[in-house]
Amino acid sequence: MISALIFTLILCTLVLVLVYRAVKFTPSEEEKVTPEAHKPDQKRVTESLSKMLQFKTVSSINRDEVDHKAFTGFKKYIKARYPKTVKASKISEHGASGILFKIKGKSSASPVVLMSHYDVVSADGEWHHPPFSGKVVKGRIWGRGALDNKHTLCGIMEACEYLLGNKHEFQNDLYLAFSGDEEIIGGSAEAIADHLAKQKVKPAIVIDEGGAVVENIFPGITLLPAFDTHS
């Protein structure tokens, strides 16, 4: 009986202590970081993506159906378009179409990997504008790959070029990993991953292709207004 009473008192005391600590708990203030204001060169970015869309980088399991010159031309283009990024990088190619840029940072402890793919699926069906024209109409860029996924690659390269052009030093090593056979589940991304593993690179974060912002994708469900997107 006494033991049960002692146990009950101890339990009640613990509960009271936990409740008291919960009530009195005040989370520490997080460091407030104000992002630097960057104004992208919209004309340049538009021109870059428009040109990227003009390369007919349609991937296919049947290698005879692939326009290999388009893939080679695309890689040559991004190297020529982003000279500061190329100069700051160690560039290597992997698999059938993978290309990897390594930009040395102040530290190698927490490397960052930014990924994208530059191959596209075939442009079947009817188009308002030729799918490989990269035509700009009323502020919209038309072309196969505009949404999946050359816009991401363009954004990554433009951001790096801008930062390096403004003497920015990356805190951590930065890897830009691009493949040209994602749509056919090719091996280029895997080859890049194997290369990084052999180099004992353990990324702190890997950012790859995300979803699109669209309207009314689910029939019968009203969603909040979003951006009207075109591929």
Side-chain angles (χ1 to χ4, degrees):
M1 185 70 176
I2 295 176
S3 297
L5 181 60
I6 293 174
F7 175 78
T8 302
L9 288 172
I10 294 173
L11 183 60
C12 289
T13 301
L14 288 173
V15 171
L16 288 172
V17 170
L18 290 173
V19 171
Y20 175 79
R21 289 175 64 87
V23 171
K24 300 296 289 184
F25 174 75
T26 302
S28 58
E29 291 188 11
E30 295 184 1
E31 180 184 357
K32 294 182 180 180
V33 178
T34 302
E36 296 180 39
H38 298 298
K39 188 175 181 180
D41 184 339
Q42 186 171 341
K43 182 175 183 294
R44 175 193 159 84
V45 175
T46 300
E47 290 174 350
S48 296
L49 180 55
S50 174
K51 181 62 178 179
M52 289 181 187
L53 298 177
Q54 294 172 44
F55 289 94
K56 197 173 182 179
T57 52
V58 179
S59 56
S60 173
I61 295 176
N62 184 351
R63 298 289 293 171
D64 293 334
E65 296 178 354
V66 176
D67 183 352
H68 298 286
K69 289 183 178 180
F71 284 79
T72 301
F74 183 88
K75 287 187 288 186
K76 286 183 177 179
Y77 172 73
I78 61 173
K79 289 178 181 178
R81 184 66 169 171
Y82 304 103
K84 295 180 179 64
T85 303
V86 168
K87 184 177 180 180
S89 302
K90 179 179 179 181
I91 304 174
S92 55
E93 298 198 15
H94 306 273
S97 59
I99 181 168
L100 180 68
F101 295 77
K102 177 188 176 181
I103 302 175
K104 187 67 179 172
K106 295 179 181 178
S107 170
S108 299
S110 301
V112 174
V113 178
L114 303 180
M115 298 177 61
S116 182
H117 67 89
Y118 59 92
D119 63 318
V120 300
V121 296
S122 59
D124 301 323
E126 296 183 5
W127 287 72
H128 292 288
H129 304 283
F132 295 101
S133 66
K135 194 170 183 179
V136 181
V137 182
K138 296 181 180 179
R140 293 176 178 174
I141 306 174
W142 289 79
R144 172 60 85 212
L147 184 62
D148 184 13
N149 187 39
K150 289 180 179 177
H151 73 296
T152 300
L153 189 151
C154 181
I156 291 171
M157 295 301 291
E158 289 290 338
C160 285
E161 192 74 1
Y162 174 88
L163 291 170
L164 291 168
N166 285 274
K167 311 301 182 184
H168 178 80
E169 290 186 75
F170 294 101
Q171 295 297 317
N172 299 285
D173 289 352
L174 177 63
Y175 293 87
L176 314 179
F178 307 134
S179 73
D181 51 16
E182 188 268 356
E183 296 291 359
I184 57 171
I185 316 178
S188 296
E190 185 177 355
I192 292 173
D194 289 342
H195 169 75
L196 293 177
K198 290 177 181 177
Q199 299 298 314
K200 301 188 184 303
V201 175
K202 295 183 178 181
I205 185 171
V206 177
I207 300 178
D208 197 3
E209 178 180 355
V213 182
V214 296
E215 287 186 43
N216 303 321
I217 191 170
F218 299 109
I221 299 177
T222 301
L223 302 177
L224 293 174
F227 297 102
D228 183 18
T229 55
H230 297 265
S231 56

